[in-house]
Amino acid sequence: MMTSSCRTTFWLTVVALMLSVSSGLGRQKNNFAIIKPGESLQDIVHRAASVAPSPRQLNWQQQEFIAFAHFGMNTFMDQEWGKGTESPSVFNPTDFDARQWVRVIKNAGMRLLIITAKHHDGFCLWPSKYTEHSVKSSPWKEGKGDVVGVVAQACREAGLKFGVYLSPWDRHEPTFGDSPAYNEHFRNQLRELLTNYGEISEVWFDGANDEGPNGKKQVYDWPSYYKVIRDLAPQAVIAIMGPDVRWVGTESGYGRETEWSVLPNITQNLAAIAASSQQFPVDGAFAPGDLMDDDLGSREKIKNASALVWYPAETDVSIRPGWFYHSSQDNLAKSPAKLVDIYYSSVGRNSVLLLNLPPDKRGQITDHDIKSLVGMRKILDQTFTTNLASGATIIASNEKPGHNASAVIEQHPTSYWTTDDDIESATLEFQLPRQRTFDRLMLQENISAGQRIEAFRLEAWAGNTWKTLARGTTVGYKRLLRFPAVTSQKVRLLIDSSRTSPTLSNVGLYKSPPTVTIEPNGGSFESSLRVRLSSDSKKSAIFYTLDGSEPTFKSKRYTRPINVTGSTQVKGVASLGGEVAAELSEARFTKCLKAQSVIFEKPYSAKYPGRGDITIIDGRRGSLDFQDKEWLGFNGDDIVASLDLGESKSIHKITIGFLQQQGSWIFLPSEVKFFMSEDGISWKMTGNQSNTLKQTESVVVKDFSCVIKNVSARFVKVASKNVGTCPAWHSGAGDKTWLFVDEVIVE
Ligand code: FUL
């Protein structure tokens, strides 16, 4: 334990060291700050507001939206984590095309690509001198290929930045666990990657870790890795298990509403700061701590801090459920709307979005993923191309000379608005050139001066009063807020709280393309159904079709609810000024006989009870997501379900739907048999259907049905045969298989 005089000496040493380290930086801001003992909360808050990104951190943040490519041994083994024992003979892309990756990534608006040069299985995508477990031992290009080299070159040609993921955990390398030897091995691999492939902008160190092949635990020499990077690639940020960029804390794609880039550093690291001889002392002090907390940098979190550091968030998420390519996930690429939602919740919450696009066994990004990306880009472009605030006259409650409010709508890259010193709240009032309709707000702080804004509101003038449209806490590099569309000529931005005089470099008001909502959103019905279409933009017209074709502005215009009397597919689009919006909405409706009740011979699993018995007769269909509460799950058992229609009815078709998602042990039934009965006692089989779809096929919802020539019956029974156990090729070979059912439709 330190005595108080000892603590004072320690602090003086630390501060002196900081000052000497930063003296060469002139007036440039530091990306760390030491808090002196006895500083008040106000002092600490001001200090936090002056911590700013290092040039490499600022440059990285400005890339906004970047790509990950998980490619390697796992792509060919159809797995997520290799054991390190895989044979290099399986690595053999059939039509490798790095230029295709780069084209797709650039067109999607991403500016940097990080490749998994080595994942946990230890297989290297470049011909490393330090192991045989690499492309050079594979049949691809007869062992003469270099994935890292070709991808780096393609990026350079296209003006895309390039980064490497190098897994510290290596399940193949024999020296792993023999700490000094593996540390040298790892540094050697880093040196290869950082010297032979041009400029590297990001080095990504994964936190996943376990024992080595020899059962020994590796002690990583992180500071020595950082030193190699600082020496060979000073422009590169070191992410995740590194001091420049932090993991946002989830792999969902959703960052925090309140996202501070300035975080408290933990006390014990100050000794490491003091010991560090590097220009950016934070390297020596780095320890990731708990990054999953909801709050990382509020006043509450920094009030007892000993040091503060600029440590911004990166949000990594895959376009599919897995990080690596699996054909079974081809239908599970996130939709354009989902990707847009993720964009708002990451880039729009002061974070960089790192979206993974896993190339397939050909060595190309699949059309499924490209379709989603193109759809996403179209929506974002339609939204953000025109800033409806441009041309506005802006009145600020306070302006610092040389930093007028007009700077927030100027295109100039470094101009920004701020107030006189020590002002902690302010208002900017925008008089727009004319009435405008908008539903998105974009704010950017001038983060080269630090992150300051703690609370803000957007209001629009509604004729006689101000109406609040949206509220937020932090802004940081970029904040995007969505709210229902409003039309007004006057808006104001109220900054209610700022750590010190607030800054803004950009303010934008935008209108997203209108989308159509169909209500109800599909399902089955008994006699007729009224279907309503609406748009989130009152000014837009809605066009629709009922025959499955794609609607255009030449299709039927929606004016009143549609009376659906037979099985129908409704597709609708909104159009504004003759332009059809990017998003198509669709819903399928099936006319059927309503079952009064259903009885199962054996119960469904308590783990997947959907919404109870009625799940399979409620008119709503299960999606491709087995957790969506529309599915009933049966583990190892057959399903025998009897439906009571209440009275004898003429039947011409019976359909039952199943899900296949073999990655989750869910298989289609091998056979489905259909029966009918007038009394529920004596049954007559009316048809059967065997499964013809391959068990290796991607995720699908498949209907089994039986067509009958209008026979009357009160009861219907469907018996579905569970395949029982996972086949030999499956990773759960011999385990019980699941049957997931929804829904039974009697027509
Ligand atoms: C994780 C890894 O274990 C995953 O395989 C993937 O690489 C992801 C980005 O990071 O920690």
Side-chain angles (χ1 to χ4, degrees):
M1 221 204 208
M2 283 190 206
T3 62
S4 122
S5 71
C6 172
R7 202 183 300 136
T8 311
T9 321
F10 172 77
W11 276 112
L12 288 174
T13 317
V14 168
V15 172
L17 199 117
M18 285 301 138
L19 291 175
S20 71
V21 163
S22 55
S23 58
L25 301 175
R27 292 187 52 217
Q28 187 189 316
K29 295 219 168 228
N30 275 331
N31 72 341
F32 64 91
I34 300 292
I35 294 164
K36 288 177 242 155
E39 280 192 33
S40 67
L41 177 61
Q42 191 60 9
D43 294 338
I44 296 172
V45 167
H46 278 156
R47 217 175 257 292
S50 68
V51 174
S54 64
R56 64 168 83 88
Q57 286 174 316
L58 181 61
N59 192 285
W60 165 85
Q61 186 93 52
Q62 286 166 341
Q63 307 313 313
E64 295 191 13
F65 184 22
I66 64 177
F68 226 162
H70 275 66
F71 185 62
M73 190 53 83
N74 293 333
T75 313
F76 296 88
M77 297 297 292
D78 205 5
Q79 65 194 9
E80 281 291 306
W81 274 14
K83 293 193 172 70
T85 50
E86 297 79 14
S87 164
S89 66
V90 303
F91 183 87
N92 198 8
T94 51
D95 196 8
F96 184 83
D97 187 356
R99 290 205 176 106
Q100 186 252 12
W101 304 15
V102 165
R103 255 194 326 273
V104 170
I105 289 167
K106 273 203 88 171
N107 290 343
M110 300 150 115
R111 302 194 185 128
L112 187 160
L113 166 61
I114 301 174
I115 188 171
T116 50
K118 176 179 88 167
H119 204 252
H120 312 325
D121 54 64
F123 183 78
C124 297
L125 290 184
W126 80 103
S128 172
K129 272 200 300 196
Y130 301 96
T131 178
E132 290 308 302
H133 200 53
S134 82
V135 277
K136 73 182 173 203
S137 307
S138 79
W140 182 59
K141 295 196 165 181
E142 294 166 345
K144 307 237 160 23
D146 180 349
V147 174
V148 175
V150 179
V151 175
Q153 172 65 21
C155 286
R156 248 193 315 280
E157 280 169 17
L160 208 67
K161 290 177 183 290
F162 181 63
V164 288
Y165 167 114
L166 188 68
S167 170
W169 183 27
D170 188 326
R171 305 179 87 180
H172 177 84
E173 172 56 32
T175 60
F176 188 88
D178 176 355
S179 294
Y182 180 75
N183 283 330
E184 185 52 18
H185 174 83
F186 193 74
R187 282 189 296 266
N188 281 334
Q189 293 200 320
L190 261 179
R191 286 187 193 107
E192 286 184 321
L193 290 171
L194 301 180
T195 39
N196 298 336
Y197 299 103
E199 185 168 306
I200 303 290
S201 300
E202 181 160 349
V203 178
W204 217 90
F205 287 149
D206 204 317
N209 195 15
D210 208 344
E211 286 176 350
N214 42 22
K216 287 196 206 157
K217 196 107 191 142
Q218 172 70 29
V219 180
Y220 299 111
D221 185 0
W222 296 108
S224 75
Y225 306 164
Y226 304 156
K227 177 147 186 1
V228 170
I229 300 168
R230 297 299 192 224
D231 287 349
L232 298 176
Q235 68 290 335
V237 287
I238 312 173
I240 315 311
M241 294 304 289
D244 300 322
V245 169
R246 91 183 126 89
W247 182 49
V248 77
T250 87
E251 287 179 348
S252 65
Y254 292 81
R256 292 172 190 78
E257 290 267 358
T258 300
E259 189 65 83
W260 287 104
S261 293
V262 176
L263 267 53
N265 209 345
I266 50 176
T267 322
Q268 57 266 39
N269 291 318
L270 291 175
I273 291 180
S276 173
S277 62
Q278 292 168 48
Q279 193 192 6
F280 287 93
V282 171
D283 283 5
F286 169 69
D290 176 13
L291 300 177
M292 293 168 77
D293 203 331
D294 275 351
D295 172 13
L296 296 177
S298 69
R299 287 179 184 231
E300 188 53 34
K301 288 282 164 176
I302 61 173
K303 71 176 186 204
N304 297 317
S306 316
L308 297 164
V309 58
W310 186 270
Y311 198 28
E314 179 173 76
T315 306
D316 63 326
V317 60
S318 185
I319 195 163
R320 292 156 167 251
W323 289 102
F324 285 88
Y325 175 78
H326 309 287
S327 61
S328 60
Q329 296 181 352
D330 278 347
N331 289 330
L332 294 181
K334 293 183 170 61
S335 67
K338 176 80 177 169
L339 291 177
V340 168
D341 195 37
I342 286 176
Y343 181 89
Y344 277 104
S345 311
S346 52
V347 176
R349 290 184 183 168
N350 189 29
S351 166
V352 165
L353 171 57
L354 172 57
L355 179 67
N356 180 56
L357 308 167
D360 62 12
K361 292 185 185 178
R362 291 171 307 163
Q364 293 188 30
I365 298 170
T366 69
D367 288 346
H368 302 273
D369 299 358
I370 296 173
K371 198 169 165 221
S372 289
L373 282 171
V374 169
M376 174 214 68
R377 190 68 253 165
K378 196 167 168 196
I379 297 170
L380 292 178
D381 285 348
Q382 286 185 348
T383 307
F384 292 109
T385 305
T386 311
N387 183 357
L388 301 169
S390 66
T393 312
I394 313 170
I395 301 165
S397 56
N398 187 288
E399 284 175 333
K400 188 175 192 143
H403 295 285
N404 296 346
S406 57
V408 305
I409 50 170
E410 278 166 10
Q411 299 294 324
H412 195 277
T414 55
S415 68
Y416 64 94
W417 159 79
T418 189
T419 63
D420 289 324
D421 293 349
D422 300 327
I423 289 192
E424 291 171 8
S425 61
T427 306
L428 292 180
E429 191 174 309
F430 296 71
Q431 178 75 33
L432 307 180
R434 57 191 163 90
Q435 291 248 323
R436 296 289 202 176
T437 301
F438 47 89
D439 57 6
R440 304 287 185 261
L441 169 70
M442 189 269 290
L443 298 177
Q444 291 193 281
E445 279 181 79
N446 170 39
I447 57 164
S448 20
Q451 186 184 355
R452 302 176 174 188
I453 297 174
E454 290 181 308
F456 66 91
R457 277 174 290 157
L458 180 71
E459 296 185 340
W461 182 247
N464 51 3
T465 174
W466 288 103
K467 187 179 157 217
T468 303
L469 305 180
R471 287 169 188 279
T473 51
T474 45
V475 174
Y477 173 73
K478 187 173 266 192
R479 188 69 207 258
L480 298 170
L481 286 182
R482 292 171 282 185
F483 47 89
V486 66
T487 303
S488 180
Q489 198 174 348
K490 204 156 77 170
V491 296
R492 66 179 186 188
L493 180 71
L494 297 106
I495 299 172
D496 294 318
S497 170
S498 183
R499 287 182 168 177
T500 185
S501 41
T503 74
L504 282 172
S505 54
N506 284 303
V507 175
L509 294 173
Y510 302 94
K511 176 68 192 76
S512 65
T515 48
V516 171
T517 304
I518 303 177
E519 283 174 287
N521 194 233
S524 45
F525 62 96
E526 204 171 2
S527 49
S528 70
L529 187 73
R530 280 168 90 75
V531 176
R532 287 189 168 71
L533 271 54
S534 59
S535 160
D536 58 353
S537 160
K538 287 197 187 82
K539 280 194 182 161
S540 65
I542 299 172
F543 298 93
Y544 70 96
T545 60
L546 299 176
D547 59 1
S549 61
E550 295 261 314
T552 67
F553 60 90
K554 289 189 181 141
S555 306
K556 202 158 181 199
R557 185 167 176 169
Y558 177 84
T559 48
R560 66 174 77 93
I562 308 162
N563 199 29
V564 174
T565 53
S567 295
T568 310
Q569 190 175 14
V570 179
K571 290 190 178 183
V573 284
S575 155
L576 201 57
E579 259 271 315
V580 168
E583 277 189 277
L584 167 81
S585 307
E586 54 183 295
R588 188 183 289 274
F589 301 94
T590 310
K591 184 169 179 165
C592 70
L593 300 170
K594 186 114 188 94
Q596 308 295 314
S597 60
V598 58
I599 296 171
F600 295 97
E601 240 173 48
K602 283 194 180 162
Y604 38 84
S605 159
K607 269 180 149 176
Y608 298 103
R611 284 177 293 105
D613 290 2
I614 58 134
T615 308
I616 66 160
I617 53 168
D618 64 358
R620 294 153 58 152
R621 299 289 314 252
S623 68
L624 290 168
D625 175 5
F626 72 93
Q627 310 212 53
D628 76 358
K629 299 235 178 331
E630 296 296 340
W631 294 103
L632 291 181
F634 293 74
N635 196 207
D637 290 330
D638 296 345
I639 304 175
V640 183
S642 309
L643 277 62
D644 181 358
L645 303 176
E647 57 183 310
S648 184
K649 289 187 176 163
S650 175
I651 297 171
H652 66 93
K653 192 175 179 192
I654 310 170
T655 305
I656 181 166
F658 289 92
L659 176 71
Q660 175 160 292
Q661 194 166 325
Q662 39 100 338
S664 303
W665 281 229
I666 305 168
F667 287 85
L668 294 173
S670 52
E671 191 188 16
V672 179
K673 288 181 179 160
F674 301 89
F675 304 85
M676 286 164 45
S677 166
E678 275 295 6
D679 56 9
I681 300 165
S682 62
W683 295 94
K684 188 168 178 283
M685 190 166 119
T686 50
N688 67 319
Q689 188 182 343
S690 298
N691 178 32
T692 48
L693 206 85
K694 282 197 206 134
Q695 290 180 323
T696 48
E697 278 295 318
S698 49
V699 179
V700 280
V701 172
K702 182 174 163 57
D703 285 349
F704 291 72
S705 54
C706 129
V707 176
I708 309 138
K709 279 196 183 134
N710 290 327
V711 175
S712 288
R714 173 175 165 179
F715 297 92
V716 165
K717 183 155 78 180
V718 190
S720 318
K721 184 104 198 97
N722 195 323
V723 292
T725 50
C726 293
W729 54 265
H730 193 267
S731 53
D735 291 354
K736 278 190 200 170
T737 47
W738 286 89
L739 269 182
F740 267 59
V741 64
D742 187 59
E743 131 123 17
V744 182
I745 303 162
V746 184
E747 296 171 69

